[in-house]
Amino acid sequence: MKIPQRLPRWSIVIPIAAWLVLGGSLLVSAPLYAVLLTAALFGGVLTAVYHAEVVAHRIGEPFGTLLLALAVTLIEVALIVSLMLAGGEATSGLARDTVFAAIMIILNGIIGLCLLAGASLHKEQSFSLQGASTSLATLAALAVLTLVLPNFTSTVKGPFYSPSQLAFIAVISLVLYGTFVLVQTVRHRDYFLPDVVTADEEAHAPLPSNKMAWTSAALLMLCLGAVVLLAKALAPTLEHAVAAAGAPKALVGIIIAMVVLLPEGMAAFRAARANRLQTSINLALGSALASIGLTIPVVAVISLTTGWSLTLGLDAKSTILLLLSLIITSISLGTGRTTIMQGTIHCVIFAVYLFTTIVP
C-alpha cells in the first residue's frame, strides 16, 4: 500500500458514516437494515486496516503491529466485560470461548492463509526464528495455564479455579505478557524486525507526518470501536440465522471473533503477499498473546469482585485442537522459513476446527 502525504477523503468519511449507521440501529429495527450494518462493518474493517498501516509506517516495527494488536484487544475486552456485566453469571464461559476462538482463528486461519498466500507468490519466505520462538513459548504457557490447567486442579473441581488460584493466574498472565512486550519493544527488538533484504519498497517510502499519524491513530480507534459494536448489533440477526440453519450456538461466537479479528487478519495477509512475513507473524502471534494476556486478568477481577464463577477449562475436544495447533505452529515456524506446505496444514486444521464446531 502506497501511503499518500494526505489522508484520502474516504478514510475520514467511512468511520463517521459507520458510527451514524450504528446510531441509526437504535431507531430502526427493520430486517433490511442489517444489510446496511453489514456494509458499514466491512467498510470499518477496510478503513481500520488502512489507518493501521499509516500508523505502523510512521512508528516502525514492531511498534506498529503491537499498536494494532493492543487496540483491537482492548476494545474486544471492553465488549466482553459489557456482555458479562449485562448477562451476569450466565456468561461465565464467555471469556473462555472468545479467547479460544481467537487463538484458533489466529494460529490456523490467519497464519495459515498468510503462509499459503505468501508462498504462492514467493515460493519460500523467511522470518526471524528468535521472534517467532519467543512469541510461541509465551503463547503456549499462557494458553495451557489459563485454558487447560483449570481442568486438573483439585482445590475446586474443574473447569474452575479457586479465588486464590484465579488471582494468581491473573497476575502470572500480566507478568508473561508484560515481559513479552518489554522483550519485543526494548530488550530484543531486533528479533521482531523484518529482514531488510526481503522488505518491499513500501518500507522505504517517505514517512507520514506526525499530524497525519495522530489523525490516523484517532480514526483507527473510531473504526475499531465501530467494528466491535456493529458486530454486537448484528449478533441477534446472526443468532437467528445460525439457529435457522440448525448449527450449534458456538458458531455465533466464532463468526463474531472472525469479524473482530478482520482488521489484523487483513493487515497480516497484505504483508504476507508483499513478502513481509515477519510483519504478518508479529501481528498474528501478538494478537493471540494480547487476547489472553489482557482478557483473563480483566475477567478475573470481575469474577473476584462479583463472586461469579468463571469457567476457564476447555472440554476434551477443544483441548486436543488447542494443543495440536500449538505443536503444529511451533514446528511450522521452527526453521525460520516456510513454504506452501505449512500454510496448507494450518488451513486444514482450521477447517477441521470449524467443521467439528458445526458437526460436533
Side-chain angles (χ1 to χ4, degrees), residues 23 29 37 51 91 96 109 127 141 149 176 180 183-184 204 219 221 225 228 234 240 270 277 279 333 337 348:
S29 58
L37 288 172
H51 288 300
T91 60
R96 175 201 61 189
F127 56 91
L149 186 60
L176 283 173
F180 171 78
V183 169
Q184 185 185 37
H204 306 288
L219 291 170
M221 297 303 297
V228 173
L234 284 167
H240 289 128
R270 288 167 64 96
L277 187 61
T279 299
L333 304 182
R337 304 188 72 84
V348 166

Side-chain angles (χ1 to χ4, degrees), residues 196-257:
V196 177
V197 176
T198 59
D200 65 332
E201 66 275 6
E202 291 173 14
H204 306 288
L207 294 178
S209 65
N210 283 330
K211 180 181 178 181
M212 182 176 172
W214 278 108
T215 303
S216 278
L219 291 170
L220 171 62
M221 297 303 297
L222 280 177
C223 289
L224 293 176
V227 165
V228 173
L229 293 176
L230 285 166
K232 182 181 177 182
L234 284 167
T237 303
L238 185 59
E239 288 176 355
H240 289 128
V242 169
K249 193 174 180 180
L251 185 61
V252 176
I254 294 175
I255 295 173
I256 292 177

Side-chain angles (χ1 to χ4, degrees), residues 21-242:
V21 171
L22 183 63
S25 66
L26 301 175
L27 305 174
V28 181
S29 58
L32 289 177
Y33 199 77
V35 177
L36 190 57
L37 288 172
T38 304
L41 187 150
F42 284 100
V45 167
L46 294 173
T47 311
V49 172
Y50 177 83
H51 288 300
E53 292 188 347
V54 171
V55 176
H57 191 58
R58 175 64 194 179
I59 64 179
E61 289 294 337
F63 299 102
T65 54
L66 177 64
L67 173 67
L68 180 56
L70 285 174
V72 171
T73 304
L74 288 173
I75 294 175
E76 180 184 351
V77 169
L79 176 59
I80 293 173
V81 169
S82 65
L83 291 174
M84 286 183 66
L85 294 176
E89 196 163 0
T91 60
S92 64
L94 177 64
R96 175 201 61 189
D97 295 340
T98 304
V99 168
F100 175 62
I103 292 173
M104 294 302 292
I105 291 168
I106 290 167
L107 288 186
N108 298 304
I110 294 177
I111 288 182
L113 287 175
C114 287
L115 297 183
L116 199 58
S120 298
L121 290 175
H122 308 286
K123 294 188 178 179
E124 188 178 74
Q125 292 181 296
S126 61
F127 56 91
S128 169
L129 182 58
Q130 295 96 326
S133 298
T134 302
S135 302
L136 282 171
T138 310
L139 179 60
L142 280 170
V144 172
L145 290 175
T146 56
L147 301 178
V148 179
L149 186 60
N151 290 321
F152 301 97
T153 54
S154 57
T155 302
V156 175
K157 187 177 181 181
F160 307 99
Y161 274 133
S162 68
S164 61
Q165 290 172 334
L166 184 60
F168 180 73
I169 290 298
V171 173
I172 290 300
S173 299
L174 284 176
V175 169
L176 283 173
Y177 184 67
T179 305
F180 171 78
V181 171
L182 176 66
V183 169
Q184 185 185 37
T185 58
V186 180
R187 302 281 295 187
H188 300 284
R189 183 186 172 194
D190 54 308
Y191 288 178
F192 302 88
L193 294 178
D195 189 345
V196 177
V197 176
T198 59
D200 65 332
E201 66 275 6
E202 291 173 14
H204 306 288
L207 294 178
S209 65
N210 283 330
K211 180 181 178 181
M212 182 176 172
W214 278 108
T215 303
S216 278
L219 291 170
L220 171 62
M221 297 303 297
L222 280 177
C223 289
L224 293 176
V227 165
V228 173
L229 293 176
L230 285 166
K232 182 181 177 182
L234 284 167
T237 303
L238 185 59
E239 288 176 355
H240 289 128
V242 169

